[in-house]
């Protein structure tokens, strides 16, 4: 059945909730690491303290994706219940976060915050594929880039403005940190509720409902499946990796193991969505493996930037460190919020332009050029000692960030079956978080051993990785179905 075209306002309403989710991510990018610094974290401890984001993304997003694929409620829909639950817990955690009295309390709350954000965000990618016809994919995914930029912009500008005008300290943190997180509390739940109220989901037809009932027959409530999947995830992945080498000599070993797991009613329930995830990985289209290589370098590089931006600016512009002049360092953190706010302004200003460029020239060319701009920008960034000059490289970085948030999905969306939109969007997120986990586990050693814990050199290192990611993009073969001159800004329906 052909999906109806949506008007531009309908696509906007569908994605408004992405704004609140991305405000929260913006605070994580710009505020959490300085909070760690204020609570006494050493430079080489920062990567491991950031493990929450990638680990929760690795564990939660694929499970949520698989669960939402296998969920349908005539009253609540397929994806929307997950938006609401994630946004609710996100708002509660944002409210509590600035009351962190110790480093490990802040780290613990970050795990909860990231889990909530991932629960809300994962189904949003699948909703685009659910609701929009092929020719509107570029508009849909890059509308999410627009709201990514807008949400993170507000987060970063709030840090800058509140730092200037709200003085005083409560506990270990200044009052302006409280104000930024309280604003996030409101944004998260209200924007998601707007999208839920304005966006009806397309109900499955009779054939799809029969297939859905067959897949979920004998399975417990989705909430129980979720927790069982979380508990058994590490076991499932461990068995999967242990069987990889034997599979070379005994073809079909993993497939036979999965079939036996599904045939046993106990293991089928225990491993729940992990069976679906591993099955999907085994039959994953080749273009997704090529995307995984790009993401390996791209997301490792981005984590290098986010972890070190404030310290690099403090070092190159204010000539201080987190353990040096406290007031100067707070000023550098505030300016980092403004710089990051600027690149996110560029992101939401350029998102719809990139949508038209992807339609005209193809997503591969667009993403290649954007990664080149971002890589060169990070090579230049730590060399600048004028705080206003920092906005120049961040302009190219902002255009690239818009591309990263939307264009890669155009390369793969028509290669995946619609009944697995959710799980494959979760697997794409695994491709994002595995490099982040690798970065958190390895970059502390790299920074300390090879870069002298120099934040500027860390960002240069990230720039070089982005250039490698750009070269890897050239290996992608585009699916011409998503490259169309049909406009995405329909006034119909």
């Amino acid at each position: 059945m052909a999906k109806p075209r949506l008007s531009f306002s309908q696509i906007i309403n569908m994605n408004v909730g992405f704004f609140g989710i991305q405000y929260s991510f913006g605070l994580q990018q710009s505020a959490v690491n300085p909070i760690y610094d204020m609570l006494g974290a050493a430079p080489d401890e920062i990567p491991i303290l950031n493990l929450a984001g990638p680990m929760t993304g690795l564990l939660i997003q694929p499970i949520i994706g698989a669960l939402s694929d296998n969920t349908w409620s005539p009253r609540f829909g397929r994806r929307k219940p997950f938006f609401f639950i994630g946004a609710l817990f996100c708002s509660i955690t944002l409210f509590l976060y600035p009351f962190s009295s110790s480093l490990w309390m802040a780290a613990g709350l970050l795990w909860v915050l990231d889990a909530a954000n991932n629960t809300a965000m994962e189904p949003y990618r699948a909703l685009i594929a659910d609701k929009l016809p092929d020719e509107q994919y570029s508009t849909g995914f890059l509308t999410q880039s627009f709201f990514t930029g807008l949400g993170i912009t507000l987060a970063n500008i709030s840090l800058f403005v509140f730092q200037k005008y709200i003085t005083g300290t409560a506990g270990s943190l200044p009052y302006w940190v409280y104000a930024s997180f309280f604003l996030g509390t409101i944004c998260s739940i209200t924007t998601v509720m707007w999208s839920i109220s304005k966006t009806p989901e397309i109900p499955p037809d009779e054939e799809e409902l029969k297939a859905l009932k067959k897949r979920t027959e004998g399975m417990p409530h989705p909430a129980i499946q979720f927790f069982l999947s979380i508990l058994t995830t590490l076991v499932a992945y461990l068995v999967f990796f242990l069987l990889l080498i034997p599979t070379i000599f005994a073809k079909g070993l993993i497939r036979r193991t999965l079939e036996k797991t599904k045939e046993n009613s106990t293991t089928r329930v225990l491993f729940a969505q992990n069976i679906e995830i591993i099955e999907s990985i085994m039959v994953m289209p080749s273009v997704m493996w090529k995307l995984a290589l790009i993401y390996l370098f791209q997301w490792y590089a981005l984590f290098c930037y986010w972890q070190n931006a404030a310290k690099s600016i403090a070092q190159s512009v204010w000539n201080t460190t987190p353990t040096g002049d406290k007031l100067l360092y707070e000023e550098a953190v505030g300016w980092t919020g403004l710089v990051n706010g600027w690149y996110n302004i560029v992101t939401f200003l350029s998102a719809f332009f990139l949508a038209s460029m992807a339609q005209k020239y193809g997503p591969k060319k667009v993403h290649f050029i954007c990664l080149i701009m971002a890589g060169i920008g990070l090579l230049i960034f730590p060399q600048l000692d004028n705080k206003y000059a920092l906005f120049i490289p961040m302009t190219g970085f902002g255009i690239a960030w818009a591309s990263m948030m939307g264009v890669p999905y155009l390369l793969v969306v028509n290669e995946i079956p619609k009944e697995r939109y959710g799980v494959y969007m979760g697997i794409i997120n695994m491709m994002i978080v595995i490099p982040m986990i690798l970065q958190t586990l390895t970059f502390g050693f790299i920074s300390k051993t090879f870069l002298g814990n120099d934040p500027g050199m860390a960002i240069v290192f990230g720039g070089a990785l982005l250039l490698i990611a750009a070269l890897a993009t050239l290996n992608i073969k585009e699916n011409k179905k998503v490259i169309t001159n049909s406009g995405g800004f329909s006034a119909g329906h």
Side-chain angles (χ1 to χ4, degrees), residues 29 300-310 313 336 339-340 343 378 381 394 397 439 458-459 462:
Q29 286 178 18
Y300 195 113
L302 291 174
F303 241 37
C304 291
Y305 170 76
W306 291 327
Q307 290 172 5
N308 291 279
I313 291 174
T336 303
V339 168
N340 288 343
Y343 86 67
L378 291 195
F381 186 86
M394 285 296 101
F397 188 90
Q439 196 269 359
I459 290 177

Side-chain angles (χ1 to χ4, degrees), residues 176-193:
W176 55 268
V177 171
Y178 287 77
S180 294
F181 277 80
F182 291 167
L183 180 58
T185 298
I186 298 168
C187 287
S188 181
I189 193 66
T190 55
T191 58
V192 167
M193 289 305 297

